[in-house]
């Protein structure tokens, strides 16, 4: 790896930093869309890369491509099925073409906090969802936390009526489309990498995301402010090709999965803190963060309530009940 330093430095300028892989090593390309600093996914992916490259040197080599530098979320799963990338961690809202069961994660005001999401994912129902796309060629390996979603817009949002008539960027999820329609807003599906420009130029008026994404993508710079609604979640599925995964030697698969599980436990425990720090960084940079009174929050809950019934058939009442039970 003597020539690796020069390669690593040149890649660092482009946002990715990794040592060149040696011949004979299994190359694991990991493509994701967020920044690497003050971001639960960015930090976890970098740690995974570091550990795999240290502990599996000679056997496997990981190259992480952050910031949509290799693929957008709408392309990465197709690329994975073609064998062009081996790992990704798209948000759970981005699997619509593969399963409707994941819609449970997008239901507004279902999970009270990230601890509840964690309990649901660890449950039998949550673990079974990891295997739910095998027939479509995808194998879920782990859930990674980001955190609770907040709304931002080019005007203050304190009551659901404030969102009426505004254009909102949403992830490619029909639940999120229905959620915005329930508010009388106009949802527009759009890739993550395009959101900043769309907010800046007025193609859309607002968006929903976690503090780490609002900070990392600088959305707060081109919005009037954000409102702490905690109305939903953004979490990730670390996912691979079922065929590629099954084709690995047992010892390689086991070691990789052990490292992934350790990184997952380590970083998931810190995700709320990372989002809290991102929120503080937004405020420190002059971004406006508004709080809701209990009455205002109740009005948002009420406005979005009709969304659940619409998707109960797709998701399954049993899965929704299991998710609700995780709030206890
Ligand atoms: C989004 O598209 O808003 C998020 O899924 C991006 C991400 O990966 O956190």
């Amino acid at each position: 790896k003597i020539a690796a330093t020069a390669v690593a430095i040149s890649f660092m300028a482009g946002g990715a930093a990794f040592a060149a892989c040696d011949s004979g090593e299994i190359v694991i390309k990991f493509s994701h869309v967020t920044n690497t600093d003050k971001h639960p996914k960015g930090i976890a992916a970098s740690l995974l890369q570091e550990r795999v490259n240290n502990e599996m040197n000679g056997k496997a080599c990981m190259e992480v491509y952050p910031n949509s530098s290799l693929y957008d979320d709408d392309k990465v799963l197709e690329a994975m099925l073609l064998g062009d990338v081996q790992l990704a961690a798209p948000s759970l809202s981005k699997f619509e073409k593969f399963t409707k069961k994941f819609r449970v994660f997008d239901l507004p005001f279902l999970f009270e906090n990230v601890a509840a999401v964690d309990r649901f994912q660890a449950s039998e129902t949550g673990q079974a969802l990891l295997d739910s796309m095998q027939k479509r060629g995808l194998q879920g390996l782990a859930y990674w936390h980001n955190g609770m979603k907040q709304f931002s817009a080019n005007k203050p949002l304190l009551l659901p009526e404030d969102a009426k008539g505004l254009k909102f960027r949403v992830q490619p999820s029909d639940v999120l489309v229905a959620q915005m329609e329930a508010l009388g807003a106009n949802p527009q599906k759009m890739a993550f990498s395009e959101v900043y420009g769309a907010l800046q130029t007025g193609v859309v008026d607002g968006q929903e995301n976690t503090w780490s994404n609002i900070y990392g993508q600088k959305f707060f710079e081109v919005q009037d402010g954000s409102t702490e609604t905690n109305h939903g979640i953004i979490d990730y599925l670390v996912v691979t090709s079922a065929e590629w995964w099954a084709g690995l030697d047992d010892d390689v698969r086991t070691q990789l999965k052990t490292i992934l599980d350790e990184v997952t436990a380590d970083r998931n425990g810190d995700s709320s803190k990372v989002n809290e720090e991102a929120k503080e960084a937004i405020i420190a940079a002059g971004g406006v963060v508004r709080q809701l009174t209990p009455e205002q929050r109740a009005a948002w809950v009420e406005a979005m309530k009709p969304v659940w019934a619409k998707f109960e058939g797709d998701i399954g009442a049993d899965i929704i009940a299991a998710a609700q039970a995780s709030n206890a």
Side-chain angles (χ1 to χ4, degrees), residues 7 46 66 78 82 89 106 125 162 198 203-204 286 308 314 316-317:
V7 176
S46 302
E78 287 161 41
L82 293 171
D106 281 340
T125 310
D162 298 329
V203 168
V204 292
W308 285 37
D314 290 340

Side-chain angles (χ1 to χ4, degrees), residues 192-201 217-222:
F192 187 56
S193 58
E194 289 167 17
V195 182
Y196 180 89
L199 291 170
Q200 189 180 37
T201 57
Q217 302 299 308
K218 301 189 167 53
F219 295 155
F220 67 95
E221 290 182 0
V222 287

Side-chain angles (χ1 to χ4, degrees), residues 32-34 39 41 73 89-94 146 169-172 190-193 195 207-210 212-213 219 234-236:
H32 73 85
V33 299
T34 72
H39 197 289
K41 178 162 61 178
D73 273 349
S91 89
L92 298 167
S93 315
K94 291 177 175 159
N146 187 333
R169 178 270 175 167
V170 291
Q171 301 181 81
M190 190 182 290
F192 187 56
S193 58
V195 182
Q207 62 85 46
E208 51 163 14
N209 232 307
T210 59
S212 52
N213 277 337
F219 295 155
I234 288 192
D235 250 40
Y236 305 111

Side-chain angles (χ1 to χ4, degrees), residues 7 13 97 107 143 145 150 154 159 191 263 271 278 291:
V7 176
K97 285 187 198 146
L107 293 181
Y143 293 107
H145 298 326
Q150 324 299 342
N154 55 11
L159 285 167
V263 168
S271 63
Q291 302 296 330

